[in-house]
Amino acid sequence: MRRGRLFVISGPSGAGKSTFIERFLKRDKGSTFSVSYTTRKKRDKEVNGREYYFVDKETFMDMVEKGGFLEWEIVHENLYGTPKKEIIENLERGIDILLDVDVNGAINIKKNYPEACLIFIEPPSREELQKRLSLRGEPQIELRLKRYDEEIEKKHFFDYTVINDNLERAYRDFENIIEQVRGH
Ligand code: ADP
Ligand code: 5GP
């Protein structure tokens, strides 16, 4: 049986990762999203267990000690981690997995799973990113923009980059990359 593929979607906060992933999962039945754990506060529209499992620091560190994460990082002063068990099970069942992790998390995953496909989503500019974060109602815009340069510098670690200027065009590029990788 064909093993599932791991697609790691990364890039600055506000670049459009969730928008692409949500669209893709709506039409693609052969893949699933890996829900990460985080200690950050839930946004109004978010649902526990859908975007993230929202946990306190103690619960998170307990999972770290038990080896429950494939990788974990401190991002914007909060802890974020990718749970290991579900991913391994899904890949073995032939289900493709989409992960939304920060750039350092993506690079770490590639070290342990070289067969993972890393896709970098890039906003057209810092100014446009700022606009989108503010339209999203993001309360920590400055903190998120501070990481922008650092993240862009690491895009050469990625297998593919999609510039998210025009949403329709960019989304098509994103979808084509996944289909192309699946075809191999
Ligand atoms: P991320 O998951 O990378 O943090 P989001 O998918 O939440 O980013 O996108 C940030 C905001 O920008 C959202 O409000 C989203 O609707 C908007 N957005 C995404 N792509 C585009 C685009 N191509 N043009 C304009 N706005 C966009
Ligand atoms: P947000 O708070 O905007 O949802 O996410 C902030 C950042 O954390 C984003 O760059 C997102 O990709 C990243 N992130 C989400 N889940 C994980 C995870 O499990 N591991 C790592 N390393 N980063 C994550």
Side-chain angles (χ1 to χ4, degrees), residues 9-14 17 36-38 40 43 46 52 71-73 75-76 80-83 100-106 136 138 140 144 147 151:
I9 323 300
S10 198
S13 175
K17 303 178 293 291
S36 292
Y37 283 70
T38 185
R40 101 149 146 68
R43 295 181 190 133
E46 291 176 326
Y52 289 104
E71 62 76 40
W72 68 277
E73 294 281 339
V75 187
H76 312 133
Y80 292 83
T82 307
D100 175 343
V101 301
D102 88 302
V103 169
N104 296 326
R136 185 170 81 183
E138 179 56 59
Q140 296 175 302
R144 280 153 201 270
R147 275 176 71 92
E151 288 168 326

PDB file of all heavy atoms in Angstrom, residues 9-14 17 36-38 40 43 46 52 71-73 75-76 80-83 100-106 136 138 140 144 147 151, ligand 2:
ATOM      1  N   ILE A   9       3.534  23.125   5.269  1.00  0.00           N
ATOM      2  CA  ILE A   9       3.224  24.453   4.748  1.00  0.00           C
ATOM      3  C   ILE A   9       3.708  25.478   5.767  1.00  0.00           C
ATOM      4  O   ILE A   9       3.319  25.427   6.931  1.00  0.00           O
ATOM      5  CB  ILE A   9       1.694  24.641   4.537  1.00  0.00           C
ATOM      6  CG1 ILE A   9       0.994  23.366   4.031  1.00  0.00           C
ATOM      7  CG2 ILE A   9       1.394  25.845   3.660  1.00  0.00           C
ATOM      8  CD1 ILE A   9       1.466  22.817   2.733  1.00  0.00           C
ATOM      9  N   SER A  10       4.534  26.398   5.310  1.00  0.00           N
ATOM     10  CA  SER A  10       5.123  27.341   6.247  1.00  0.00           C
ATOM     11  C   SER A  10       5.266  28.712   5.609  1.00  0.00           C
ATOM     12  O   SER A  10       5.052  28.879   4.412  1.00  0.00           O
ATOM     13  CB  SER A  10       6.481  26.765   6.647  1.00  0.00           C
ATOM     14  OG  SER A  10       6.930  27.361   7.811  1.00  0.00           O
ATOM     15  N   GLY A  11       5.682  29.689   6.420  1.00  0.00           N
ATOM     16  CA  GLY A  11       5.821  31.052   5.917  1.00  0.00           C
ATOM     17  C   GLY A  11       5.331  32.007   6.990  1.00  0.00           C
ATOM     18  O   GLY A  11       4.734  31.578   7.979  1.00  0.00           O
ATOM     19  N   PRO A  12       5.551  33.295   6.810  1.00  0.00           N
ATOM     20  CA  PRO A  12       5.189  34.263   7.839  1.00  0.00           C
ATOM     21  C   PRO A  12       3.706  34.206   8.230  1.00  0.00           C
ATOM     22  O   PRO A  12       2.862  33.851   7.408  1.00  0.00           O
ATOM     23  CB  PRO A  12       5.494  35.612   7.177  1.00  0.00           C
ATOM     24  CG  PRO A  12       6.465  35.303   6.099  1.00  0.00           C
ATOM     25  CD  PRO A  12       6.159  33.918   5.636  1.00  0.00           C
ATOM     26  N   SER A  13       3.449  34.555   9.463  1.00  0.00           N
ATOM     27  CA  SER A  13       2.076  34.616   9.943  1.00  0.00           C
ATOM     28  C   SER A  13       1.312  35.646   9.095  1.00  0.00           C
ATOM     29  O   SER A  13       1.775  36.765   8.908  1.00  0.00           O
ATOM     30  CB  SER A  13       2.096  35.043  11.411  1.00  0.00           C
ATOM     31  OG  SER A  13       0.802  35.221  11.876  1.00  0.00           O
ATOM     32  N   GLY A  14       0.181  35.259   8.536  1.00  0.00           N
ATOM     33  CA  GLY A  14      -0.615  36.144   7.692  1.00  0.00           C
ATOM     34  C   GLY A  14      -0.328  35.955   6.207  1.00  0.00           C
ATOM     35  O   GLY A  14      -0.941  36.615   5.367  1.00  0.00           O
ATOM     36  N   LYS A  17      -1.414  30.729   4.717  1.00  0.00           N
ATOM     37  CA  LYS A  17      -1.329  29.277   4.903  1.00  0.00           C
ATOM     38  C   LYS A  17      -2.696  28.659   5.208  1.00  0.00           C
ATOM     39  O   LYS A  17      -3.108  27.700   4.551  1.00  0.00           O
ATOM     40  CB  LYS A  17      -0.341  28.926   6.031  1.00  0.00           C
ATOM     41  CG  LYS A  17       1.054  29.469   5.809  1.00  0.00           C
ATOM     42  CD  LYS A  17       1.973  29.153   6.957  1.00  0.00           C
ATOM     43  CE  LYS A  17       1.628  29.840   8.259  1.00  0.00           C
ATOM     44  NZ  LYS A  17       1.844  31.300   8.279  1.00  0.00           N
ATOM     45  N   SER A  36      -2.208  20.964  15.561  1.00  0.00           N
ATOM     46  CA  SER A  36      -1.110  21.137  16.516  1.00  0.00           C
ATOM     47  C   SER A  36      -1.633  21.485  17.907  1.00  0.00           C
ATOM     48  O   SER A  36      -2.795  21.864  18.072  1.00  0.00           O
ATOM     49  CB  SER A  36      -0.210  22.283  16.060  1.00  0.00           C
ATOM     50  OG  SER A  36       0.480  21.944  14.894  1.00  0.00           O
ATOM     51  N   TYR A  37      -0.744  21.395  18.871  1.00  0.00           N
ATOM     52  CA  TYR A  37      -1.037  21.848  20.237  1.00  0.00           C
ATOM     53  C   TYR A  37      -0.420  23.228  20.404  1.00  0.00           C
ATOM     54  O   TYR A  37       0.651  23.496  19.871  1.00  0.00           O
ATOM     55  CB  TYR A  37      -0.412  20.890  21.259  1.00  0.00           C
ATOM     56  CG  TYR A  37      -1.196  19.614  21.411  1.00  0.00           C
ATOM     57  CD1 TYR A  37      -1.215  18.674  20.389  1.00  0.00           C
ATOM     58  CD2 TYR A  37      -1.936  19.356  22.568  1.00  0.00           C
ATOM     59  CE1 TYR A  37      -1.954  17.504  20.517  1.00  0.00           C
ATOM     60  CE2 TYR A  37      -2.668  18.189  22.702  1.00  0.00           C
ATOM     61  CZ  TYR A  37      -2.676  17.273  21.677  1.00  0.00           C
ATOM     62  OH  TYR A  37      -3.410  16.127  21.791  1.00  0.00           O
ATOM     63  N   THR A  38      -1.094  24.100  21.125  1.00  0.00           N
ATOM     64  CA  THR A  38      -0.506  25.413  21.419  1.00  0.00           C
ATOM     65  C   THR A  38      -0.936  25.924  22.787  1.00  0.00           C
ATOM     66  O   THR A  38      -2.004  25.567  23.285  1.00  0.00           O
ATOM     67  CB  THR A  38      -0.876  26.466  20.349  1.00  0.00           C
ATOM     68  OG1 THR A  38      -0.174  27.682  20.631  1.00  0.00           O
ATOM     69  CG2 THR A  38      -2.360  26.772  20.308  1.00  0.00           C
ATOM     70  N   ARG A  40      -1.050  29.252  23.055  1.00  0.00           N
ATOM     71  CA  ARG A  40      -1.562  30.609  22.830  1.00  0.00           C
ATOM     72  C   ARG A  40      -3.080  30.649  23.057  1.00  0.00           C
ATOM     73  O   ARG A  40      -3.749  29.631  23.016  1.00  0.00           O
ATOM     74  CB  ARG A  40      -1.166  31.107  21.433  1.00  0.00           C
ATOM     75  CG  ARG A  40      -2.221  31.042  20.375  1.00  0.00           C
ATOM     76  CD  ARG A  40      -2.117  32.119  19.323  1.00  0.00           C
ATOM     77  NE  ARG A  40      -2.530  31.649  18.012  1.00  0.00           N
ATOM     78  CZ  ARG A  40      -3.774  31.326  17.681  1.00  0.00           C
ATOM     79  NH1 ARG A  40      -4.764  31.358  18.567  1.00  0.00           N
ATOM     80  NH2 ARG A  40      -4.041  30.931  16.446  1.00  0.00           N
ATOM     81  N   ARG A  43      -8.449  32.334  19.389  1.00  0.00           N
ATOM     82  CA  ARG A  43      -9.136  33.495  18.800  1.00  0.00           C
ATOM     83  C   ARG A  43     -10.638  33.202  18.779  1.00  0.00           C
ATOM     84  O   ARG A  43     -11.048  32.035  18.793  1.00  0.00           O
ATOM     85  CB  ARG A  43      -8.652  33.722  17.359  1.00  0.00           C
ATOM     86  CG  ARG A  43      -7.194  34.106  17.287  1.00  0.00           C
ATOM     87  CD  ARG A  43      -6.728  34.351  15.853  1.00  0.00           C
ATOM     88  NE  ARG A  43      -5.277  34.495  15.810  1.00  0.00           N
ATOM     89  CZ  ARG A  43      -4.475  33.893  14.941  1.00  0.00           C
ATOM     90  NH1 ARG A  43      -4.978  33.123  13.993  1.00  0.00           N
ATOM     91  NH2 ARG A  43      -3.177  34.065  14.989  1.00  0.00           N
ATOM     92  N   GLU A  46     -11.984  30.541  16.452  1.00  0.00           N
ATOM     93  CA  GLU A  46     -11.347  29.220  16.489  1.00  0.00           C
ATOM     94  C   GLU A  46     -12.103  28.254  17.400  1.00  0.00           C
ATOM     95  O   GLU A  46     -12.768  28.660  18.343  1.00  0.00           O
ATOM     96  CB  GLU A  46      -9.890  29.364  16.965  1.00  0.00           C
ATOM     97  CG  GLU A  46      -9.016  30.070  15.934  1.00  0.00           C
ATOM     98  CD  GLU A  46      -7.595  30.318  16.398  1.00  0.00           C
ATOM     99  OE1 GLU A  46      -7.391  30.563  17.612  1.00  0.00           O
ATOM    100  OE2 GLU A  46      -6.696  30.318  15.551  1.00  0.00           O
ATOM    101  N   TYR A  52      -6.474  24.241  16.520  1.00  0.00           N
ATOM    102  CA  TYR A  52      -5.450  23.783  17.470  1.00  0.00           C
ATOM    103  C   TYR A  52      -6.119  23.061  18.627  1.00  0.00           C
ATOM    104  O   TYR A  52      -7.311  23.229  18.865  1.00  0.00           O
ATOM    105  CB  TYR A  52      -4.724  24.990  18.114  1.00  0.00           C
ATOM    106  CG  TYR A  52      -3.804  25.750  17.203  1.00  0.00           C
ATOM    107  CD1 TYR A  52      -4.188  26.988  16.689  1.00  0.00           C
ATOM    108  CD2 TYR A  52      -2.540  25.268  16.899  1.00  0.00           C
ATOM    109  CE1 TYR A  52      -3.341  27.717  15.854  1.00  0.00           C
ATOM    110  CE2 TYR A  52      -1.680  25.998  16.070  1.00  0.00           C
ATOM    111  CZ  TYR A  52      -2.093  27.204  15.553  1.00  0.00           C
ATOM    112  OH  TYR A  52      -1.240  27.918  14.741  1.00  0.00           O
ATOM    113  N   GLU A  71       7.941  17.631  16.532  1.00  0.00           N
ATOM    114  CA  GLU A  71       8.768  18.825  16.721  1.00  0.00           C
ATOM    115  C   GLU A  71       7.952  19.802  17.522  1.00  0.00           C
ATOM    116  O   GLU A  71       6.734  19.719  17.533  1.00  0.00           O
ATOM    117  CB  GLU A  71       9.198  19.438  15.375  1.00  0.00           C
ATOM    118  CG  GLU A  71       8.066  19.927  14.479  1.00  0.00           C
ATOM    119  CD  GLU A  71       7.442  21.228  14.907  1.00  0.00           C
ATOM    120  OE1 GLU A  71       8.157  22.139  15.324  1.00  0.00           O
ATOM    121  OE2 GLU A  71       6.203  21.342  14.829  1.00  0.00           O
ATOM    122  N   TRP A  72       8.626  20.709  18.201  1.00  0.00           N
ATOM    123  CA  TRP A  72       7.915  21.808  18.870  1.00  0.00           C
ATOM    124  C   TRP A  72       8.814  23.026  18.917  1.00  0.00           C
ATOM    125  O   TRP A  72      10.036  22.897  18.842  1.00  0.00           O
ATOM    126  CB  TRP A  72       7.415  21.393  20.260  1.00  0.00           C
ATOM    127  CG  TRP A  72       8.480  21.141  21.269  1.00  0.00           C
ATOM    128  CD1 TRP A  72       9.186  19.989  21.433  1.00  0.00           C
ATOM    129  CD2 TRP A  72       8.977  22.066  22.252  1.00  0.00           C
ATOM    130  NE1 TRP A  72      10.096  20.131  22.454  1.00  0.00           N
ATOM    131  CE2 TRP A  72       9.990  21.389  22.982  1.00  0.00           C
ATOM    132  CE3 TRP A  72       8.657  23.383  22.589  1.00  0.00           C
ATOM    133  CZ2 TRP A  72      10.685  22.008  24.021  1.00  0.00           C
ATOM    134  CZ3 TRP A  72       9.345  23.996  23.634  1.00  0.00           C
ATOM    135  CH2 TRP A  72      10.349  23.298  24.339  1.00  0.00           C
ATOM    136  N   GLU A  73       8.186  24.202  18.980  1.00  0.00           N
ATOM    137  CA  GLU A  73       8.943  25.458  18.925  1.00  0.00           C
ATOM    138  C   GLU A  73       8.255  26.515  19.792  1.00  0.00           C
ATOM    139  O   GLU A  73       7.060  26.416  20.057  1.00  0.00           O
ATOM    140  CB  GLU A  73       8.956  26.026  17.490  1.00  0.00           C
ATOM    141  CG  GLU A  73       9.698  25.206  16.462  1.00  0.00           C
ATOM    142  CD  GLU A  73      11.212  25.362  16.505  1.00  0.00           C
ATOM    143  OE1 GLU A  73      11.716  26.372  17.047  1.00  0.00           O
ATOM    144  OE2 GLU A  73      11.873  24.440  15.994  1.00  0.00           O
ATOM    145  N   VAL A  75       7.049  30.149  19.383  1.00  0.00           N
ATOM    146  CA  VAL A  75       6.771  31.118  18.316  1.00  0.00           C
ATOM    147  C   VAL A  75       5.951  32.257  18.914  1.00  0.00           C
ATOM    148  O   VAL A  75       4.941  32.000  19.589  1.00  0.00           O
ATOM    149  CB  VAL A  75       5.951  30.466  17.159  1.00  0.00           C
ATOM    150  CG1 VAL A  75       5.819  31.423  15.981  1.00  0.00           C
ATOM    151  CG2 VAL A  75       6.563  29.155  16.690  1.00  0.00           C
ATOM    152  N   HIS A  76       6.363  33.490  18.663  1.00  0.00           N
ATOM    153  CA  HIS A  76       5.652  34.661  19.205  1.00  0.00           C
ATOM    154  C   HIS A  76       5.348  34.467  20.694  1.00  0.00           C
ATOM    155  O   HIS A  76       4.212  34.662  21.128  1.00  0.00           O
ATOM    156  CB  HIS A  76       4.335  34.927  18.457  1.00  0.00           C
ATOM    157  CG  HIS A  76       4.459  34.913  16.965  1.00  0.00           C
ATOM    158  ND1 HIS A  76       3.584  34.233  16.148  1.00  0.00           N
ATOM    159  CD2 HIS A  76       5.345  35.489  16.140  1.00  0.00           C
ATOM    160  CE1 HIS A  76       3.933  34.408  14.890  1.00  0.00           C
ATOM    161  NE2 HIS A  76       5.002  35.163  14.852  1.00  0.00           N
ATOM    162  N   TYR A  80       4.250  25.816  20.466  1.00  0.00           N
ATOM    163  CA  TYR A  80       3.474  25.138  19.430  1.00  0.00           C
ATOM    164  C   TYR A  80       4.126  23.787  19.165  1.00  0.00           C
ATOM    165  O   TYR A  80       5.358  23.722  19.042  1.00  0.00           O
ATOM    166  CB  TYR A  80       3.501  25.913  18.104  1.00  0.00           C
ATOM    167  CG  TYR A  80       2.772  27.234  18.098  1.00  0.00           C
ATOM    168  CD1 TYR A  80       3.385  28.382  18.581  1.00  0.00           C
ATOM    169  CD2 TYR A  80       1.488  27.337  17.580  1.00  0.00           C
ATOM    170  CE1 TYR A  80       2.724  29.606  18.546  1.00  0.00           C
ATOM    171  CE2 TYR A  80       0.826  28.562  17.535  1.00  0.00           C
ATOM    172  CZ  TYR A  80       1.450  29.682  18.030  1.00  0.00           C
ATOM    173  OH  TYR A  80       0.803  30.893  17.993  1.00  0.00           O
ATOM    174  N   GLY A  81       3.328  22.729  19.034  1.00  0.00           N
ATOM    175  CA  GLY A  81       3.912  21.410  18.792  1.00  0.00           C
ATOM    176  C   GLY A  81       3.067  20.549  17.874  1.00  0.00           C
ATOM    177  O   GLY A  81       1.842  20.617  17.876  1.00  0.00           O
ATOM    178  N   THR A  82       3.767  19.723  17.078  1.00  0.00           N
ATOM    179  CA  THR A  82       3.107  18.807  16.136  1.00  0.00           C
ATOM    180  C   THR A  82       3.020  17.430  16.777  1.00  0.00           C
ATOM    181  O   THR A  82       4.059  16.813  17.050  1.00  0.00           O
ATOM    182  CB  THR A  82       3.971  18.683  14.854  1.00  0.00           C
ATOM    183  OG1 THR A  82       4.230  19.985  14.350  1.00  0.00           O
ATOM    184  CG2 THR A  82       3.283  17.844  13.811  1.00  0.00           C
ATOM    185  N   PRO A  83       1.813  16.935  17.033  1.00  0.00           N
ATOM    186  CA  PRO A  83       1.695  15.623  17.685  1.00  0.00           C
ATOM    187  C   PRO A  83       2.139  14.487  16.765  1.00  0.00           C
ATOM    188  O   PRO A  83       1.839  14.487  15.583  1.00  0.00           O
ATOM    189  CB  PRO A  83       0.199  15.517  18.006  1.00  0.00           C
ATOM    190  CG  PRO A  83      -0.477  16.436  17.058  1.00  0.00           C
ATOM    191  CD  PRO A  83       0.507  17.523  16.715  1.00  0.00           C
ATOM    192  N   ASP A 100       0.815  22.894   9.206  1.00  0.00           N
ATOM    193  CA  ASP A 100       1.064  24.338   9.190  1.00  0.00           C
ATOM    194  C   ASP A 100       1.989  24.612  10.369  1.00  0.00           C
ATOM    195  O   ASP A 100       1.544  24.607  11.514  1.00  0.00           O
ATOM    196  CB  ASP A 100      -0.293  25.051   9.345  1.00  0.00           C
ATOM    197  CG  ASP A 100      -0.169  26.564   9.468  1.00  0.00           C
ATOM    198  OD1 ASP A 100       0.933  27.066   9.758  1.00  0.00           O
ATOM    199  OD2 ASP A 100      -1.194  27.242   9.293  1.00  0.00           O
ATOM    200  N   VAL A 101       3.274  24.777  10.086  1.00  0.00           N
ATOM    201  CA  VAL A 101       4.241  25.010  11.166  1.00  0.00           C
ATOM    202  C   VAL A 101       5.140  26.195  10.825  1.00  0.00           C
ATOM    203  O   VAL A 101       5.233  26.592   9.663  1.00  0.00           O
ATOM    204  CB  VAL A 101       5.121  23.768  11.463  1.00  0.00           C
ATOM    205  CG1 VAL A 101       4.278  22.569  11.861  1.00  0.00           C
ATOM    206  CG2 VAL A 101       6.010  23.411  10.292  1.00  0.00           C
ATOM    207  N   ASP A 102       5.810  26.739  11.824  1.00  0.00           N
ATOM    208  CA  ASP A 102       6.699  27.874  11.550  1.00  0.00           C
ATOM    209  C   ASP A 102       7.930  27.373  10.787  1.00  0.00           C
ATOM    210  O   ASP A 102       8.159  26.162  10.668  1.00  0.00           O
ATOM    211  CB  ASP A 102       7.070  28.593  12.853  1.00  0.00           C
ATOM    212  CG  ASP A 102       8.281  27.983  13.500  1.00  0.00           C
ATOM    213  OD1 ASP A 102       8.248  26.782  13.809  1.00  0.00           O
ATOM    214  OD2 ASP A 102       9.285  28.700  13.669  1.00  0.00           O
ATOM    215  N   VAL A 103       8.706  28.308  10.276  1.00  0.00           N
ATOM    216  CA  VAL A 103       9.822  27.971   9.389  1.00  0.00           C
ATOM    217  C   VAL A 103      10.847  27.047  10.076  1.00  0.00           C
ATOM    218  O   VAL A 103      11.327  26.076   9.478  1.00  0.00           O
ATOM    219  CB  VAL A 103      10.469  29.286   8.896  1.00  0.00           C
ATOM    220  CG1 VAL A 103      11.780  29.037   8.196  1.00  0.00           C
ATOM    221  CG2 VAL A 103       9.502  30.013   7.972  1.00  0.00           C
ATOM    222  N   ASN A 104      11.158  27.316  11.345  1.00  0.00           N
ATOM    223  CA  ASN A 104      12.134  26.460  12.032  1.00  0.00           C
ATOM    224  C   ASN A 104      11.598  25.050  12.232  1.00  0.00           C
ATOM    225  O   ASN A 104      12.341  24.070  12.098  1.00  0.00           O
ATOM    226  CB  ASN A 104      12.511  27.063  13.396  1.00  0.00           C
ATOM    227  CG  ASN A 104      13.198  28.396  13.221  1.00  0.00           C
ATOM    228  OD1 ASN A 104      13.931  28.595  12.249  1.00  0.00           O
ATOM    229  ND2 ASN A 104      12.947  29.320  14.128  1.00  0.00           N
ATOM    230  N   GLY A 105      10.314  24.956  12.517  1.00  0.00           N
ATOM    231  CA  GLY A 105       9.676  23.644  12.673  1.00  0.00           C
ATOM    232  C   GLY A 105       9.757  22.859  11.366  1.00  0.00           C
ATOM    233  O   GLY A 105      10.044  21.663  11.355  1.00  0.00           O
ATOM    234  N   ALA A 106       9.521  23.546  10.247  1.00  0.00           N
ATOM    235  CA  ALA A 106       9.557  22.893   8.930  1.00  0.00           C
ATOM    236  C   ALA A 106      10.964  22.356   8.648  1.00  0.00           C
ATOM    237  O   ALA A 106      11.133  21.214   8.199  1.00  0.00           O
ATOM    238  CB  ALA A 106       9.154  23.896   7.853  1.00  0.00           C
ATOM    239  N   ARG A 136      -7.321  40.869   9.425  1.00  0.00           N
ATOM    240  CA  ARG A 136      -7.699  39.647  10.161  1.00  0.00           C
ATOM    241  C   ARG A 136      -8.032  39.972  11.617  1.00  0.00           C
ATOM    242  O   ARG A 136      -8.546  39.132  12.343  1.00  0.00           O
ATOM    243  CB  ARG A 136      -6.529  38.644  10.087  1.00  0.00           C
ATOM    244  CG  ARG A 136      -6.837  37.309  10.688  1.00  0.00           C
ATOM    245  CD  ARG A 136      -5.772  36.265  10.404  1.00  0.00           C
ATOM    246  NE  ARG A 136      -4.633  36.383  11.305  1.00  0.00           N
ATOM    247  CZ  ARG A 136      -3.549  35.630  11.233  1.00  0.00           C
ATOM    248  NH1 ARG A 136      -3.459  34.716  10.285  1.00  0.00           N
ATOM    249  NH2 ARG A 136      -2.559  35.793  12.076  1.00  0.00           N
ATOM    250  N   GLU A 138      -5.702  40.839  13.815  1.00  0.00           N
ATOM    251  CA  GLU A 138      -4.615  40.262  14.615  1.00  0.00           C
ATOM    252  C   GLU A 138      -4.159  41.244  15.705  1.00  0.00           C
ATOM    253  O   GLU A 138      -3.768  42.370  15.397  1.00  0.00           O
ATOM    254  CB  GLU A 138      -3.452  39.942  13.662  1.00  0.00           C
ATOM    255  CG  GLU A 138      -2.233  39.367  14.333  1.00  0.00           C
ATOM    256  CD  GLU A 138      -2.529  38.129  15.131  1.00  0.00           C
ATOM    257  OE1 GLU A 138      -3.027  37.147  14.552  1.00  0.00           O
ATOM    258  OE2 GLU A 138      -2.282  38.145  16.361  1.00  0.00           O
ATOM    259  N   GLN A 140      -1.475  41.016  17.623  1.00  0.00           N
ATOM    260  CA  GLN A 140      -0.016  41.085  17.829  1.00  0.00           C
ATOM    261  C   GLN A 140       0.719  41.333  16.518  1.00  0.00           C
ATOM    262  O   GLN A 140       1.640  40.595  16.172  1.00  0.00           O
ATOM    263  CB  GLN A 140       0.488  39.760  18.394  1.00  0.00           C
ATOM    264  CG  GLN A 140      -0.045  39.400  19.750  1.00  0.00           C
ATOM    265  CD  GLN A 140       0.450  38.014  20.116  1.00  0.00           C
ATOM    266  OE1 GLN A 140       0.207  37.053  19.397  1.00  0.00           O
ATOM    267  NE2 GLN A 140       1.155  37.914  21.221  1.00  0.00           N
ATOM    268  N   ARG A 144       4.512  39.778  15.067  1.00  0.00           N
ATOM    269  CA  ARG A 144       4.505  38.890  13.909  1.00  0.00           C
ATOM    270  C   ARG A 144       5.367  39.456  12.774  1.00  0.00           C
ATOM    271  O   ARG A 144       6.063  38.717  12.102  1.00  0.00           O
ATOM    272  CB  ARG A 144       3.064  38.627  13.453  1.00  0.00           C
ATOM    273  CG  ARG A 144       2.437  37.571  14.324  1.00  0.00           C
ATOM    274  CD  ARG A 144       0.957  37.624  14.446  1.00  0.00           C
ATOM    275  NE  ARG A 144       0.565  36.902  15.652  1.00  0.00           N
ATOM    276  CZ  ARG A 144       0.283  35.616  15.696  1.00  0.00           C
ATOM    277  NH1 ARG A 144       0.294  34.910  14.600  1.00  0.00           N
ATOM    278  NH2 ARG A 144      -0.014  35.022  16.832  1.00  0.00           N
ATOM    279  N   ARG A 147       9.272  38.885  12.953  1.00  0.00           N
ATOM    280  CA  ARG A 147       9.840  37.605  12.491  1.00  0.00           C
ATOM    281  C   ARG A 147       9.935  37.519  10.978  1.00  0.00           C
ATOM    282  O   ARG A 147      10.553  36.602  10.447  1.00  0.00           O
ATOM    283  CB  ARG A 147       8.937  36.456  12.971  1.00  0.00           C
ATOM    284  CG  ARG A 147       9.239  35.986  14.357  1.00  0.00           C
ATOM    285  CD  ARG A 147       8.217  34.944  14.733  1.00  0.00           C
ATOM    286  NE  ARG A 147       8.398  33.687  14.009  1.00  0.00           N
ATOM    287  CZ  ARG A 147       9.110  32.676  14.451  1.00  0.00           C
ATOM    288  NH1 ARG A 147       9.720  32.749  15.600  1.00  0.00           N
ATOM    289  NH2 ARG A 147       9.210  31.563  13.744  1.00  0.00           N
ATOM    290  N   GLU A 151      12.236  34.926   8.651  1.00  0.00           N
ATOM    291  CA  GLU A 151      11.588  33.798   7.980  1.00  0.00           C
ATOM    292  C   GLU A 151      11.890  33.794   6.478  1.00  0.00           C
ATOM    293  O   GLU A 151      12.170  32.752   5.896  1.00  0.00           O
ATOM    294  CB  GLU A 151      10.080  33.845   8.239  1.00  0.00           C
ATOM    295  CG  GLU A 151       9.771  33.483   9.672  1.00  0.00           C
ATOM    296  CD  GLU A 151       8.344  33.781  10.085  1.00  0.00           C
ATOM    297  OE1 GLU A 151       7.774  34.777   9.599  1.00  0.00           O
ATOM    298  OE2 GLU A 151       7.803  33.037  10.885  1.00  0.00           O
TER     299      GLU A 151
HETATM  300  P1  5GP B   2      -0.808  31.391  14.724  1.00  0.00           P
HETATM  301  O1  5GP B   2      -0.680  31.789  16.158  1.00  0.00           O
HETATM  302  O2  5GP B   2      -0.887  32.578  13.793  1.00  0.00           O
HETATM  303  O3  5GP B   2      -1.891  30.379  14.478  1.00  0.00           O
HETATM  304  O4  5GP B   2       0.547  30.649  14.341  1.00  0.00           O
HETATM  305  C1  5GP B   2       1.779  31.242  14.592  1.00  0.00           C
HETATM  306  C2  5GP B   2       2.868  30.433  13.964  1.00  0.00           C
HETATM  307  O5  5GP B   2       3.001  29.164  14.599  1.00  0.00           O
HETATM  308  C3  5GP B   2       2.656  30.143  12.467  1.00  0.00           C
HETATM  309  O6  5GP B   2       3.878  30.405  11.803  1.00  0.00           O
HETATM  310  C4  5GP B   2       2.341  28.665  12.442  1.00  0.00           C
HETATM  311  O7  5GP B   2       2.771  28.065  11.232  1.00  0.00           O
HETATM  312  C5  5GP B   2       3.171  28.165  13.614  1.00  0.00           C
HETATM  313  N1  5GP B   2       2.758  26.843  14.117  1.00  0.00           N
HETATM  314  C6  5GP B   2       1.507  26.361  14.257  1.00  0.00           C
HETATM  315  N2  5GP B   2       1.539  25.099  14.712  1.00  0.00           N
HETATM  316  C7  5GP B   2       2.845  24.767  14.855  1.00  0.00           C
HETATM  317  C8  5GP B   2       3.533  23.583  15.280  1.00  0.00           C
HETATM  318  O8  5GP B   2       2.958  22.561  15.636  1.00  0.00           O
HETATM  319  N3  5GP B   2       4.889  23.641  15.288  1.00  0.00           N
HETATM  320  C9  5GP B   2       5.582  24.751  14.913  1.00  0.00           C
HETATM  321  N4  5GP B   2       6.904  24.685  14.927  1.00  0.00           N
HETATM  322  N5  5GP B   2       4.975  25.882  14.510  1.00  0.00           N
HETATM  323  C10 5GP B   2       3.620  25.887  14.490  1.00  0.00           C
END
